[in-house]
Amino acid sequence: MNNPKKGKCPVMHGANTETHNNVMDWWPKALNLDILHQQDTKTNPLGNEFNYAEAFKKLDLEALKNDLKTLMTDSQEWWPADWGHYGGLMIRMAWHAAGTYRVTDGRGGSNTGNQRFAPLNSWPDNVNLDKARRLLWPVKKKYGNKISWADLIILAGNMAYESMGLKTFGFAGGREDIWHPEKDVYWGSEKEWLAETHNRYENDTDRESLENPLAAVQMGLIYVNPEGVDGKPDPLRTAKDVRMTFKRMAMNDEETVALTAGGHTVGKCHGNGDASILGEKPEAAEIFEQGLGWINPKGKGNAEDTVSSGLEGAWTTHPTTWDNGYFHLLFNYDWELKKSPAGAWQWEPVNIKEEDKPMDAHIPNKRNNPIMTDADMAMIKDPVYREISERFYKDPAYFSEVFARAWFKLTHRDLGPKTRYLGADVPKEDLIWQDTIPAVDYTLSDAEVEGLKDKLLNCGLTRTELINSAWDSARTFRGSDFRGGANGARIRLSPQKDWIGNEPERLQKVLNKITEIQASLSKKVSIADLLILGGSAAVEKAAQEAGVNIKVPFYSGRGDATDEMTDAKSFAELEPIHDGYRNWLKKDYVVNPEELLLDRTQLMGLTAPEMTVLVGGMRVLGTNHGGTKHGVFTDRVGVLSNDFFVNLTDMNYKWKPVSDNLYHIVDRKTGATRWTATRVDLVFGSNSVLRAYAEVYAQDDNKEKFVKDFVRAWLKVMNADRFDLKS
């Protein structure tokens, strides 16, 4: 290989300017604390003062929608529209932005505009979506900061459908853009694109054993391989993959069929050429390509010579019209396997009528066979999917309604509760997956708050019981999809009340007592508010006993959700299987406990210093699950002291391994065991970055700082889902 730098003059180059020179590559097992500090304010060109919600309110949404509809048929010479209509391309862009969402950890999805950055901008399944975003650029340029890329991508998909005849269910803004690639999302362990699927399965004959939290079956795909499992057509086997991946997307069988059919009612696949000769992906393309990738050097390079998936053809007779043509073709013809010009497996009809063939997207007066993917064939080969498909075929209006709702769910699932929705097109109907919480009709004065604190602290519950119940109620929050949290008090409902991590017996004791207090009040304060207030009052008291007189602010306004508002099956995905903050593991996992702590911390939106101070504080408060003493490095349990850090960093002690996740802290002189600890405790002394934070909090002059920082971090967790306080 030629060295492009050979013969050039050397120059001082002291900075690591390429990713392969990461200084931490020498220590690959070091905790990646960077995931806690990504999307730092320094990266945001709009600055700290910019408020997207306020900017969106100034948006002329109707004008924007009209401009998008105009764009659909404004074919550009540099990338001509299929049949003169960009609808199929824009829908695929929106679909693939939203379709990365997985319900297990809430990551992925359209909420951040992450499709603009690696790895998603260069995924094999996203071939030529770079062109879709460039076609959108004039619109984004015109409306500027009033519409984020994340919102614009989804709205473009909506307008594409509307321009082709579908009545969509609605649209909500509120997605704020990120400004560099996401570093926290685990997309799989593969080191090559589209590696065989066995890499992702505990047992690849059991298609339900797909590695959590993944939803796609191969690295670089959104869902399933359109040619079949590992590129081998078998609709019944593909059906298993479809069912699993859509389940990981929080979709049921009916929604799955609707989305598959509705996504393929319009547009086409592109494979009229040799995929092997395409240029580099956008992230690897030459500088003069200006961020465009997959350049085709043959023929026109676009239009009829476009190569994307490798399959070639439209699914329906009229690919720019919303109709029931997908089911018409699927049910009225026999289908046989063929190879596309690019060599990809696809299904084509036998003896199709000429009038049922779609017109060529670019060549006048030419008709082509329609095609189906292996996933499409699954819609009639799998008995459950077939029954649903038949129902949709017989009732086109019902199909349109189910699809519109499923499309709305697909594109809004990770946006969070309706309180985060922006714009005039937000549907009035409350949907079960939106985790609705009823509004409260009361406010509390400072005097009333203080009175409630006294009642809670003197009701017979211990401070630890109050703190643990507040923490368990709040810790489910995920900043990935804005689900969970304390608001709604769903911790008193199934399935949360029975989660092992919530210590059901202790939790029920606390809930019973708080319910008694609620019943005694002249003003019916919500259980959700009382839970958080009880924990905060206990923290406040513990701080005072440490010699720091501090008030823990409280903001009322949480409501109490009902069983009818709660999709219990969906909430099961939020069950904690570990909590490093309470030093608990449900089982012994392959992943180290400190890595699990990091994952949870990132989802909660906490920084590394906040994680550090919270763990140290929670230990001395005695909040461990089950009352264990691991990491409780203090003789003053229940006092919000900095003792955890003082003793962790004290060289009078050494650390003796007992088992995989148990250590004794031993006095160096006497050999006596002073304390016990887990990996989650010791990582704050072993990891160089975390130790630096621990040393700050161990200092004699930072005892008060420790308490104040703990309270700030505690409040951040308690109020993480209070979107009303952030608007």
Side-chain angles (χ1 to χ4, degrees):
M1 182 181 289
N2 293 327
N3 183 351
K5 298 181 180 180
K6 190 175 180 180
K8 296 184 178 183
C9 295
V11 67
M12 185 180 71
H13 182 220
N16 284 320
T17 53
E18 296 181 345
T19 56
H20 68 82
N21 285 331
N22 189 330
V23 296
M24 295 305 293
D25 287 347
W26 292 97
W27 302 279
K29 292 194 177 294
L31 284 178
N32 181 19
L33 295 169
D34 288 348
I35 69 171
L36 304 184
H37 306 137
Q38 61 183 352
Q39 315 307 333
D40 185 85
T41 54
K42 289 181 179 179
T43 69
N44 189 342
L46 301 180
N48 294 338
E49 302 303 314
F50 177 72
N51 185 312
Y52 180 55
E54 290 302 314
F56 189 93
K57 290 177 183 176
K58 301 172 185 174
L59 173 69
D60 188 337
L61 184 58
E62 288 305 311
L64 171 58
K65 287 159 61 178
N66 288 331
D67 283 351
L68 286 170
K69 287 180 180 178
T70 299
L71 178 149
M72 298 301 160
T73 54
D74 185 16
S75 185
Q76 300 296 308
E77 186 177 351
W78 67 269
W79 197 259
D82 296 332
W83 303 281
H85 201 299
Y86 288 120
L89 179 63
M90 295 296 166
I91 287 164
R92 179 167 163 257
M93 173 189 63
W95 182 291
H96 283 217
T100 56
Y101 174 78
R102 60 276 183 110
V103 70
T104 313
D105 64 356
R107 292 186 173 98
S110 61
N111 192 47
T112 60
N114 56 6
Q115 196 187 76
R116 293 139 62 223
F117 303 113
L120 296 176
N121 70 349
S122 296
W123 274 31
D125 217 2
N126 287 340
V127 175
N128 291 326
L129 292 183
D130 52 342
K131 318 308 190 295
R133 294 189 298 276
R134 292 297 172 89
L135 289 165
L136 270 182
W137 166 239
V139 177
K140 177 68 172 81
K141 180 176 180 291
K142 177 180 177 180
Y143 290 92
N145 297 336
K146 294 189 286 293
I147 185 77
S148 66
W149 270 109
D151 276 344
L152 184 61
I153 286 168
I154 298 304
L155 184 59
N158 262 34
M159 292 304 100
Y161 271 121
E162 289 197 4
S163 71
M164 293 186 286
L166 173 72
K167 180 177 172 48
T168 60
F169 188 71
F171 168 79
R175 304 165 185 82
E176 295 191 48
D177 288 333
I178 58 174
W179 296 99
H180 64 74
E182 294 166 309
K183 299 177 181 178
D184 62 296
V185 187
Y186 173 70
W187 296 113
S189 61
E190 300 95 325
K191 303 302 180 185
E192 61 177 298
W193 297 114
L194 305 178
E196 291 189 356
T197 61
H198 64 79
N199 292 282
R200 296 191 166 218
Y201 291 82
E202 186 176 331
N203 176 2
D204 71 342
T205 61
D206 176 10
R207 304 306 285 184
E208 293 191 3
S209 66
L210 179 65
E211 180 186 359
N212 262 321
L214 304 177
V217 301
Q218 288 178 280
M219 175 65 79
L221 293 182
I222 302 298
Y223 296 117
V224 303
N225 191 322
E227 296 182 71
V229 178
D230 288 323
K232 301 177 182 68
D234 184 344
L236 283 174
R237 196 168 182 225
T238 292
K240 294 179 180 179
D241 278 7
V242 171
R243 182 165 281 112
M244 190 63 203
T245 59
F246 274 77
K247 179 182 177 182
R248 294 278 176 93
M249 275 280 302
M251 299 294 174
N252 61 30
D253 283 343
E254 188 174 60
E255 291 166 329
T256 300
V257 176
L259 286 169
T260 302
H264 294 172
T265 291
V266 296
K268 72 183 291 287
C269 295
H270 299 85
N272 193 26
D274 184 356
S276 68
I277 65 171
L278 295 181
E280 289 283 5
K281 302 172 180 65
E283 204 67 16
E286 294 288 353
I287 196 167
F288 60 82
E289 300 289 5
Q290 290 290 280
L292 292 179
W294 301 289
I295 303 300
N296 185 358
K298 296 292 185 178
K300 294 181 180 178
N302 53 40
E304 65 267 27
D305 297 314
T306 302
V307 179
S308 295
S309 69
L311 286 73
E312 171 60 31
W315 291 271
T316 63
T317 310
H318 306 290
T320 62
T321 301
W322 178 263
D323 58 20
N324 220 31
Y326 175 86
F327 294 114
H328 169 77
L329 294 182
L330 202 54
F331 280 112
N332 284 283
Y333 290 103
D334 294 324
W335 295 80
E336 62 182 353
L337 276 171
K338 295 278 185 117
K339 283 282 185 117
S340 76
W345 285 114
Q346 59 191 39
W347 295 81
E348 296 186 24
V350 178
N351 297 324
I352 185 172
K353 296 176 182 176
E354 191 70 15
E355 63 265 27
D356 278 345
K357 293 180 179 180
M359 297 298 298
D360 190 273
H362 298 278
I363 302 174
N365 304 317
K366 181 187 177 188
R367 289 184 180 270
N368 303 313
N369 267 354
I371 62 103
M372 295 287 170
T373 70
D374 216 53
D376 295 311
M377 297 308 298
M379 299 300 108
I380 57 172
K381 297 298 184 181
D382 178 272
V384 176
Y385 287 160
R386 185 180 181 95
E387 184 181 341
I388 297 167
S389 294
E390 288 174 342
R391 186 159 65 247
F392 287 158
Y393 182 35
K394 294 173 184 174
D395 193 342
Y398 180 66
F399 164 55
S400 293
E401 181 186 355
V402 174
F403 173 79
R405 287 173 171 271
W407 173 258
F408 182 81
K409 181 179 177 180
L410 173 75
T411 53
H412 291 74
R413 177 76 188 191
D414 66 333
L415 188 52
K418 280 180 73 173
T419 52
R420 299 190 69 247
Y421 287 16
L422 303 176
D425 289 351
V426 174
K428 290 183 172 59
E429 182 180 346
D430 290 330
L431 305 166
I432 189 89
W433 54 264
Q434 293 173 325
D435 304 339
T436 302
I437 299 167
V440 300
D441 59 357
Y442 64 85
T443 57
L444 295 173
S445 67
D446 291 345
E448 288 174 317
V449 168
E450 292 303 314
L452 286 171
K453 284 181 184 177
D454 288 340
K455 285 182 181 290
L456 288 160
L457 289 173
N458 296 290
C459 70
L461 296 171
T462 67
R463 294 208 303 259
T464 300
E465 287 172 330
L466 290 168
I467 291 169
N468 283 348
S469 300
W471 178 266
D472 290 352
S473 181
R475 70 175 170 193
T476 53
F477 176 76
R478 315 191 299 198
S480 53
D481 59 358
F482 305 95
R483 299 192 72 206
N487 201 0
R490 285 188 164 90
I491 196 170
R492 73 198 203 287
L493 307 176
S494 293
Q496 294 191 38
K497 66 182 180 65
D498 299 314
W499 288 344
I500 295 172
N502 288 342
E503 298 174 296
E505 190 173 330
R506 180 265 304 160
L507 175 61
Q508 196 56 55
K509 174 187 174 183
V510 172
L511 288 173
N512 288 343
K513 185 60 69 173
I514 286 181
T515 303
E516 287 178 17
I517 292 173
Q518 184 194 51
S520 71
L521 302 175
S522 56
K523 184 181 291 185
K524 191 178 179 181
V525 181
S526 69
I527 298 294
D529 269 346
L530 291 171
L531 276 169
I532 300 306
L533 183 57
S536 293
V539 167
E540 190 176 284
K541 192 73 174 175
Q544 291 169 359
E545 290 187 4
V548 181
N549 191 13
I550 190 171
K551 289 289 184 184
V552 180
F554 174 74
Y555 306 95
S556 64
R558 299 170 184 83
D560 290 337
T562 64
D563 284 314
E564 291 73 27
M565 297 173 179
T566 303
D567 183 354
K569 186 176 180 180
S570 174
F571 267 93
E573 299 288 352
L574 273 66
E575 180 182 0
I577 57 173
H578 60 87
D579 185 355
Y581 293 94
R582 295 191 60 212
N583 225 343
W584 172 72
L585 289 171
K586 189 175 182 179
K587 296 178 182 177
D588 186 19
Y589 300 103
V590 173
V591 180
N592 286 329
E594 63 271 28
E595 294 177 80
L596 294 173
L597 169 67
L598 194 61
D599 178 69
R600 170 45 43 190
T601 299
Q602 196 279 329
L603 286 173
M604 293 168 74
L606 299 171
T607 66
E610 289 166 342
M611 174 179 72
T612 303
V613 76
L614 277 170
V615 168
M618 294 288 278
R619 292 295 185 273
V620 298
L621 290 172
T623 63
N624 280 358
H625 187 279
T628 67
K629 300 300 181 183
H630 305 318
V632 185
F633 308 151
T634 183
D635 296 323
R636 302 181 289 166
V637 180
V639 177
L640 191 55
S641 71
N642 68 337
D643 288 358
F644 175 87
F645 300 109
V646 170
N647 292 309
L648 179 75
T649 56
D650 191 338
M651 291 306 295
N652 288 315
Y653 303 108
K654 63 180 179 180
W655 311 84
K656 181 180 177 182
V658 178
S659 63
D660 285 345
N661 192 33
L662 180 62
Y663 301 82
H664 284 180
I665 290 78
V666 178
D667 188 289
R668 290 181 184 272
K669 292 181 179 178
T670 68
T673 297
R674 186 72 176 84
W675 293 290
T676 61
T678 68
R679 292 183 64 93
V680 166
D681 303 310
L682 297 196
V683 75
F684 291 94
S686 66
N687 180 277
S688 59
V689 176
L690 295 180
R691 187 176 184 91
Y693 298 141
E695 289 173 348
V696 168
Y697 291 121
Q699 292 174 187
D700 294 343
D701 61 348
N702 278 337
K703 293 179 181 179
E704 184 172 337
K705 174 180 171 57
F706 161 73
V707 172
K708 290 180 176 179
D709 287 1
F710 179 89
V711 168
R712 275 194 293 270
W714 170 268
L715 281 173
K716 187 174 179 178
V717 174
M718 296 303 111
N719 295 327
D721 62 344
R722 291 295 306 278
F723 308 112
D724 56 315
L725 300 177
K726 303 169 187 177
S727 59

